[in-house]
Short mmCIF file of all heavy atoms in Angstrom, two decimals:
data_model
loop_
_atom_site.label_atom_id
_atom_site.label_comp_id
_atom_site.label_asym_id
_atom_site.label_seq_id
_atom_site.Cartn_x
_atom_site.Cartn_y
_atom_site.Cartn_z
N ALA K 1 4.59 -5.78 -0.37
CA ALA K 1 4.59 -4.35 -0.64
C ALA K 1 3.43 -3.90 -1.51
O ALA K 1 3.47 -2.81 -2.06
CB ALA K 1 5.92 -3.92 -1.25
N ARG K 2 2.41 -4.71 -1.61
CA ARG K 2 1.33 -4.45 -2.60
C ARG K 2 0.53 -3.18 -2.21
O ARG K 2 0.36 -2.31 -3.04
CB ARG K 2 0.38 -5.63 -2.60
CG ARG K 2 -0.61 -5.52 -3.74
CD ARG K 2 -1.28 -6.83 -3.96
NE ARG K 2 -0.27 -7.79 -4.33
CZ ARG K 2 -0.45 -8.88 -5.01
NH1 ARG K 2 -1.65 -9.11 -5.41
NH2 ARG K 2 0.53 -9.68 -5.34
N ARG K 3 0.11 -3.03 -1.00
CA ARG K 3 -0.72 -1.92 -0.61
C ARG K 3 0.07 -0.62 -0.55
O ARG K 3 -0.36 0.40 -1.12
CB ARG K 3 -1.39 -2.18 0.72
CG ARG K 3 -2.36 -1.09 1.16
CD ARG K 3 -3.10 -1.45 2.34
NE ARG K 3 -3.96 -2.57 2.08
CZ ARG K 3 -4.55 -3.29 3.01
NH1 ARG K 3 -4.38 -3.01 4.29
NH2 ARG K 3 -5.35 -4.27 2.69
N SER K 4 1.18 -0.62 0.08
CA SER K 4 1.98 0.62 0.21
C SER K 4 2.61 1.03 -1.11
O SER K 4 2.65 2.23 -1.42
CB SER K 4 3.06 0.48 1.26
OG SER K 4 3.99 -0.53 0.92
N GLY K 5 3.03 0.07 -1.92
CA GLY K 5 3.61 0.39 -3.21
C GLY K 5 2.59 1.03 -4.13
O GLY K 5 2.89 2.03 -4.82
N SER K 6 1.36 0.50 -4.12
CA SER K 6 0.33 1.10 -4.95
C SER K 6 -0.07 2.49 -4.46
O SER K 6 -0.34 3.35 -5.27
CB SER K 6 -0.90 0.18 -4.97
OG SER K 6 -0.59 -1.03 -5.58
N MET K 7 -0.15 2.67 -3.15
CA MET K 7 -0.53 3.96 -2.61
C MET K 7 0.52 5.01 -2.93
O MET K 7 0.20 6.09 -3.47
CB MET K 7 -0.73 3.87 -1.08
CG MET K 7 -1.16 5.19 -0.49
SD MET K 7 -1.30 5.14 1.30
CE MET K 7 0.39 4.97 1.77
N PHE K 8 1.79 4.73 -2.63
CA PHE K 8 2.83 5.71 -2.90
C PHE K 8 3.04 5.94 -4.39
O PHE K 8 3.30 7.06 -4.84
CB PHE K 8 4.15 5.34 -2.21
CG PHE K 8 4.11 5.45 -0.73
CD1 PHE K 8 4.56 4.40 0.02
CD2 PHE K 8 3.62 6.61 -0.14
CE1 PHE K 8 4.52 4.49 1.42
CE2 PHE K 8 3.58 6.69 1.24
CZ PHE K 8 4.06 5.64 2.03
N GLY K 9 2.92 4.90 -5.20
CA GLY K 9 3.04 5.03 -6.65
C GLY K 9 1.93 5.89 -7.18
O GLY K 9 2.20 6.75 -8.06
N GLY K 10 0.72 5.71 -6.75
CA GLY K 10 -0.39 6.52 -7.20
C GLY K 10 -0.25 7.99 -6.81
O GLY K 10 -0.53 8.88 -7.58
N LEU K 11 0.24 8.23 -5.61
CA LEU K 11 0.49 9.60 -5.17
C LEU K 11 1.57 10.25 -6.03
O LEU K 11 1.48 11.44 -6.37
CB LEU K 11 0.87 9.63 -3.70
CG LEU K 11 -0.31 9.38 -2.72
CD1 LEU K 11 0.29 9.29 -1.29
CD2 LEU K 11 -1.31 10.44 -2.80
N LEU K 12 2.64 9.51 -6.35
CA LEU K 12 3.68 10.07 -7.16
C LEU K 12 3.21 10.40 -8.57
O LEU K 12 3.58 11.41 -9.16
CB LEU K 12 4.88 9.07 -7.23
CG LEU K 12 5.85 9.13 -6.11
CD1 LEU K 12 6.89 7.99 -6.23
CD2 LEU K 12 6.58 10.45 -6.08
N ILE K 13 2.38 9.49 -9.14
CA ILE K 13 1.86 9.75 -10.47
C ILE K 13 0.95 10.98 -10.47
O ILE K 13 1.04 11.85 -11.34
CB ILE K 13 1.09 8.51 -10.98
CG1 ILE K 13 2.10 7.44 -11.34
CG2 ILE K 13 0.31 8.84 -12.26
CD1 ILE K 13 1.50 6.11 -11.73
N ALA K 14 0.09 11.09 -9.47
CA ALA K 14 -0.83 12.24 -9.39
C ALA K 14 -0.03 13.52 -9.17
O ALA K 14 -0.33 14.58 -9.81
CB ALA K 14 -1.80 12.05 -8.23
N GLY K 15 0.96 13.52 -8.31
CA GLY K 15 1.77 14.72 -8.08
C GLY K 15 2.60 15.12 -9.30
O GLY K 15 2.70 16.31 -9.64
N GLY K 16 3.15 14.11 -9.95
CA GLY K 16 3.95 14.35 -11.15
C GLY K 16 3.14 14.95 -12.27
O GLY K 16 3.56 15.86 -12.97
N MET K 17 1.94 14.43 -12.49
CA MET K 17 1.13 14.95 -13.56
C MET K 17 0.58 16.33 -13.23
O MET K 17 0.41 17.16 -14.09
CB MET K 17 -0.06 13.99 -13.82
CG MET K 17 0.37 12.69 -14.52
SD MET K 17 1.11 12.99 -16.16
CE MET K 17 2.83 12.70 -15.83
N ALA K 18 0.34 16.61 -11.92
CA ALA K 18 -0.04 17.97 -11.51
C ALA K 18 1.08 18.97 -11.79
O ALA K 18 0.80 20.05 -12.27
CB ALA K 18 -0.45 18.00 -10.04
N LEU K 19 2.32 18.58 -11.55
CA LEU K 19 3.43 19.45 -11.88
C LEU K 19 3.53 19.66 -13.42
O LEU K 19 3.82 20.80 -13.82
CB LEU K 19 4.72 18.84 -11.40
CG LEU K 19 5.16 19.14 -9.97
CD1 LEU K 19 6.44 18.37 -9.65
CD2 LEU K 19 5.35 20.59 -9.76
N ALA K 20 3.30 18.66 -14.14
CA ALA K 20 3.32 18.80 -15.63
C ALA K 20 2.23 19.74 -16.13
O ALA K 20 2.46 20.56 -17.03
CB ALA K 20 3.24 17.44 -16.28
N ILE K 21 1.04 19.63 -15.53
CA ILE K 21 -0.05 20.48 -15.93
C ILE K 21 0.26 21.97 -15.57
O ILE K 21 0.03 22.88 -16.38
CB ILE K 21 -1.36 20.01 -15.25
CG1 ILE K 21 -1.85 18.75 -15.95
CG2 ILE K 21 -2.48 21.10 -15.38
CD1 ILE K 21 -2.94 18.07 -15.24
N VAL K 22 0.79 22.21 -14.38
CA VAL K 22 1.17 23.53 -13.95
C VAL K 22 2.21 24.11 -14.92
O VAL K 22 2.16 25.26 -15.30
CB VAL K 22 1.67 23.55 -12.50
CG1 VAL K 22 2.38 24.81 -12.17
CG2 VAL K 22 0.48 23.32 -11.59
N ALA K 23 3.22 23.27 -15.27
CA ALA K 23 4.23 23.72 -16.16
C ALA K 23 3.71 24.10 -17.56
O ALA K 23 4.11 25.17 -18.13
CB ALA K 23 5.32 22.67 -16.34
N VAL K 24 2.79 23.32 -18.07
CA VAL K 24 2.24 23.63 -19.40
C VAL K 24 1.36 24.85 -19.32
O VAL K 24 1.41 25.71 -20.25
CB VAL K 24 1.48 22.41 -19.97
CG1 VAL K 24 0.67 22.77 -21.22
CG2 VAL K 24 2.44 21.29 -20.28
N HIS K 25 0.56 24.97 -18.28
CA HIS K 25 -0.40 26.09 -18.22
C HIS K 25 0.30 27.42 -17.93
O HIS K 25 0.08 28.38 -18.65
CB HIS K 25 -1.45 25.78 -17.16
CG HIS K 25 -2.45 26.88 -17.00
ND1 HIS K 25 -3.47 27.08 -17.95
CD2 HIS K 25 -2.60 27.84 -16.05
CE1 HIS K 25 -4.18 28.07 -17.56
NE2 HIS K 25 -3.71 28.55 -16.43
N TYR K 26 1.11 27.47 -16.93
CA TYR K 26 1.73 28.73 -16.49
C TYR K 26 3.00 29.03 -17.26
O TYR K 26 3.43 30.19 -17.40
CB TYR K 26 2.00 28.77 -15.03
CG TYR K 26 0.75 28.88 -14.20
CD1 TYR K 26 0.28 27.84 -13.45
CD2 TYR K 26 0.04 30.09 -14.15
CE1 TYR K 26 -0.84 27.96 -12.72
CE2 TYR K 26 -1.12 30.20 -13.45
CZ TYR K 26 -1.59 29.12 -12.72
OH TYR K 26 -2.73 29.19 -11.96
N GLY K 27 3.68 27.98 -17.81
CA GLY K 27 4.93 28.23 -18.51
C GLY K 27 4.73 28.50 -20.01
O GLY K 27 5.66 28.82 -20.69
N LYS K 28 3.50 28.32 -20.47
CA LYS K 28 3.14 28.61 -21.87
C LYS K 28 4.06 27.81 -22.81
O LYS K 28 4.65 28.40 -23.72
CB LYS K 28 3.16 30.08 -22.13
CG LYS K 28 2.11 30.84 -21.35
CD LYS K 28 2.26 32.34 -21.55
CE LYS K 28 1.26 33.11 -20.75
NZ LYS K 28 1.21 32.84 -19.31
N LEU K 29 4.18 26.52 -22.57
CA LEU K 29 5.01 25.70 -23.44
C LEU K 29 4.37 25.37 -24.75
O LEU K 29 5.05 25.08 -25.71
CB LEU K 29 5.37 24.38 -22.70
CG LEU K 29 6.25 24.53 -21.45
CD1 LEU K 29 6.46 23.21 -20.79
CD2 LEU K 29 7.58 25.13 -21.83
#
């Protein structure tokens, strides 16, 4: 599961951090 695990894990990290950035920027936390 080395290639697919790294690919999906990287996509989840990138998407999660994008959501956190949107929350901090637009939510004025």
Side-chain angles (χ1 to χ4, degrees):
R2 188 166 300 205
R3 184 173 293 166
S4 62
S6 294
M7 182 183 68
F8 290 131
L11 287 173
L12 277 173
I13 289 174
M17 289 298 107
L19 273 176
I21 289 170
V22 165
V24 169
H25 181 74
Y26 288 109
K28 297 174 180 55
L29 293 177

